[in-house]
Structures are given as C-alpha cells and as structure tokens.
Amino acid sequence: MSEFADFISIMHDDLGEHYQRIMMTYKGNITPDTAFQAAALLTAAQSNATYTSQLQGEIESLRKTLIAIEKSRRDSQS
C-alpha cells in the first residue's frame, strides 16, 4: 500500500471512530450530518496534532545534528 493510501485509510478509520462515538454519546440529540461535521473536525485536529508532533521531532533531530556539526567544527579549529 502506498503512503497516500495508508493516510487515507487511517483518516477514514479515525473519522468513523469519531462519528460512531459522537452518535452513541448524543443519540437522539444530534443529526447524522452534524455528527459527521464534528467527526471531521476532530479527525482534522487529530491529524494536525500528529503532523505537528512529527515536525517537532524532526526539528529536535536537526537541532542536535547542528550542535554536533558546530562542536566538530570548533574541535577541528582548535
């Protein structure tokens, strides 16, 4: 499966889980359309949080690499 297909599958699963939870929690008090919209918002927020976390990890890794490069450069100048 391609990365894109994996992403779509995960988004679909998350959307379905959020939708089912919302419908069960608010049964009778929410329309399916409203539940779907809320589930879509929750899925988008979850996806954004995951992406932000991955970016923070990559930034931290780059920061450590830059520190190591700078230390190596200083050591070679000594």
Side-chain angles (χ1 to χ4, degrees):
M1 210 180 246
S2 71
E3 246 182 75
F4 180 72
D6 288 344
F7 174 76
I8 295 298
S9 178
I10 290 168
M11 292 294 286
H12 183 267
D13 292 348
D14 290 345
L15 180 63
E17 288 175 21
H18 288 304
Y19 178 79
Q20 288 177 349
R21 191 173 339 109
I22 290 167
M23 287 300 287
M24 288 174 33
T25 302
Y26 300 102
K27 50 186 147 192
N29 295 323
I30 193 168
T31 66
D33 188 51
T34 302
F36 181 76
Q37 289 175 10
L41 288 171
L42 288 170
T43 301
Q46 182 178 349
S47 177
N48 285 338
T50 300
Y51 182 65
T52 300
S53 178
Q54 288 174 341
L55 287 178
Q56 287 173 334
E58 289 179 26
I59 288 169
E60 182 61 24
S61 177
L62 288 171
R63 186 184 74 76
K64 289 177 181 178
T65 301
L66 287 173
I67 289 170
I69 290 169
E70 182 63 26
K71 183 180 181 313
S72 175
R73 192 179 74 167
R74 274 185 274 140
D75 290 348
S76 69
Q77 291 176 351
S78 300

